[in-house]
Amino acid sequence: NDDQRGAGAAGGQALVSNGGTLAITTGSLFTNNALGNDTYAVDISGTTAGAGGINFGSTTLDHDDAGESGGGIRLVTNTGTFTFASVSRITANNGAGILASNAGTLTIGTTTAGNIETSNRAVFDISQTTLNLNATMTRSTASTGSGMVFNGVGGTVNLTGALSITSSAAAGLSISNSVAGAAFTFSGATKVISTGAQTAVQLSSNSGSTVSFTNDGLEIDTTSGAGFTASGGGTINISSAGNRINTTTGQILGWNGVTVGAGGVSFATLASSGTVAADAISLGNVNGATFRVGQRHLGRHERRHRDLRRIVGDLQLRPGDRRWGWRLGHKAGIRHRHDDLHLSRHRRRRHGPVHRQFGDCERQWRRYRRDHDPDRQRHSAERRKRDDFDRRQCRQCQRPAGC
């Protein structure tokens, strides 16, 4: 995503290793200066961590003050274990907070978790690495790529503080190709992802891994970008009721082939203020626990009655149950329990228990209504009575029927 490397300022970096074997039993890191764009305070590449690994007990990397630039930690093509157990803060400008690619095993913040913040780059850009990552507040502003990237990652990620990703040039939060058993947990009270024309949250090919947004406060905002997409496996938990996705013309939610975890998925609002070109909300081949949405608000061109229904999907189906759901009024892989919108007498009859036998099959409903609707039966009886009367009149006057 952002694996660039600047020339660096002489003497400005804390640790640089470009090969060989390196072992550090314990130590501390403190930097606060101008390093230069894409120059990192800790830069280790092509290196094997010796017996016991590379360990630092205290880490403070500060490179975002006025006139400063530089990144935090860069680990590329290494083997062994790298541990930064106690992190006070890592702040960067024009450099990633933590950039790791094929970096072996990386442990961050297990003793003390701190803030990690950056401007113009990703706060985390991590791929093909085993992680044990813990942090409190995390922030990425105006990244030239994605705001936070985990690709091919195993292990655990626990972000317990406020999360903010804004104005990134690619997807705000991207998690893909995770190793089975990986767990990503975002548990801060506020989780704001605002990406304009880019996808806010993008999950793909995470079979066997789990992504959880807990403790409420997920706020996703885009213009033409999609709000939350997920495909290709994996389990998703979004707990509490105060989670929201708001777009202008971007798809609100598009999930395919994923599982709702035991914690369920709950949104207070799924909303688009304009016209969405494709399906505003699409759920396909989604199974697992409960998926709930409090309100749906769609643009004026999409305000059909079906689209305004409250989604209350129960994905735990009994054997033999059919799967029905709403994807702008079409089957979507979930069973839909009808809401309590005000309905006319005819609508109440249509959307009552009988109609739920047929879900969205209009042809089956029409056939049933033709055979069982009491109004039609009454009208048919009256018509037969009129026809009988006409035929009697005709028999009396000995003229053809319809005289």
Side-chain angles (χ1 to χ4, degrees):
N1 185 44
D2 291 315
D3 188 4
Q4 306 170 63
R5 195 175 187 184
Q13 295 168 277
L15 174 62
V16 176
S17 174
N18 292 315
T21 301
L22 177 66
I24 300 176
T25 303
T26 187
S28 61
L29 293 165
F30 181 88
T31 58
N32 186 352
N33 57 352
L35 298 175
N37 295 348
D38 300 305
T39 301
Y40 289 81
V42 176
D43 193 341
I44 302 174
S45 62
T47 298
T48 299
I54 295 174
N55 302 276
F56 290 96
S58 176
T59 301
T60 301
L61 309 176
D62 186 344
H63 302 287
D64 69 339
D65 296 332
E68 292 182 351
S69 63
I73 298 171
R74 179 180 182 271
L75 305 172
V76 176
T77 319
N78 302 311
T79 58
T81 61
F82 300 81
T83 302
F84 302 83
S86 182
V87 175
S88 174
R89 67 182 181 277
I90 298 175
T91 56
N93 179 34
N94 291 327
I98 298 175
L99 189 157
S101 175
N102 291 295
T105 300
L106 174 60
T107 299
I108 302 281
T110 51
T111 302
T112 303
N115 297 351
I116 303 178
E117 306 171 62
T118 187
S119 299
N120 306 310
R121 298 291 187 271
V123 60
F124 301 122
D125 187 355
I126 301 176
S127 61
Q128 311 303 320
T129 298
T130 300
L131 278 179
N132 185 358
L133 170 60
N134 299 271
T136 53
M137 186 177 79
T138 51
R139 176 183 60 83
S140 172
T141 304
S143 172
T144 54
S146 291
M148 185 180 293
V149 178
F150 300 103
N151 178 31
V153 165
T156 60
V157 173
N158 292 293
L159 305 184
T160 59
L163 167 68
S164 175
I165 299 174
T166 57
S167 305
S168 59
L173 169 62
S174 175
I175 302 176
S176 60
N177 305 305
S178 299
V179 176
F184 304 84
T185 303
F186 305 87
S187 58
T190 60
K191 298 173 279 289
V192 177
I193 304 175
S194 178
T195 54
Q198 306 301 323
T199 299
V201 178
Q202 185 177 68
L203 311 181
S204 63
S205 302
N206 296 306
S207 181
S209 65
T210 302
V211 179
S212 301
F213 297 88
T214 63
N215 198 26
D216 220 337
L218 178 61
E219 187 76 35
I220 293 174
D221 295 286
T222 70
T223 53
S224 57
F228 196 137
T229 65
S231 62
T235 299
I236 303 172
N237 296 292
I238 305 177
S239 61
S240 301
N243 305 301
R244 295 174 174 82
I245 300 178
N246 295 281
T247 73
T248 303
T249 58
Q251 184 181 44
I252 302 169
L253 192 81
W255 290 7
N256 184 38
V258 296
T259 300
V260 175
V265 168
S266 181
F267 286 99
T269 302
L270 298 177
S272 66
S273 58
T275 302
V276 179
D279 296 319
I281 299 171
S282 174
L283 299 173
N285 301 312
V286 176
N287 55 54
T290 302
F291 185 107
R292 295 183 183 279
V293 177
Q295 298 178 14
R296 294 172 65 192
H297 301 289
L298 304 176
R300 62 185 180 88
H301 295 295
E302 297 176 81
R303 289 176 182 168
R304 292 170 290 181
H305 179 72
R306 289 175 179 172
D307 297 336
L308 294 176
R309 288 187 179 144
R310 178 179 300 161
I311 294 178
V312 185
D314 183 358
L315 303 177
Q316 293 178 326
L317 302 179
R318 295 183 301 274
D321 277 357
R322 291 185 178 182
R323 293 185 175 183
W324 298 99
W326 300 103
R327 189 191 69 167
L328 291 185
H330 301 287
K331 288 183 288 186
I334 65 172
R335 182 160 52 108
H336 174 80
R337 291 180 291 177
H338 291 277
D339 62 8
D340 56 358
L341 289 175
H342 174 72
L343 300 174
S344 65
R345 181 168 62 91
H346 169 71
R347 288 287 185 177
R348 282 199 301 272
R349 185 187 309 125
R350 175 174 175 180
H351 296 291
V354 168
H355 178 61
R356 284 197 284 271
Q357 297 177 41
F358 310 121
D360 209 28
C361 183
E362 207 51 50
R363 184 166 57 183
Q364 290 186 39
W365 161 247
R366 286 174 181 163
R367 187 178 303 151
Y368 178 89
R369 184 166 174 255
R370 180 193 64 199
D371 297 334
H372 296 83
D373 188 276
D375 290 341
R376 290 203 171 196
Q377 291 176 355
R378 177 170 54 82
H379 294 158
S380 297
E382 291 175 353
R383 182 172 179 178
R384 284 195 299 271
K385 192 179 296 182
R386 286 197 303 271
D387 291 344
D388 290 344
F389 178 78
D390 290 340
R391 283 194 290 271
R392 285 196 300 273
Q393 293 295 319
C394 292
R395 284 195 294 270
Q396 288 176 5
C397 65
Q398 301 298 312
R399 292 183 182 177
C403 60

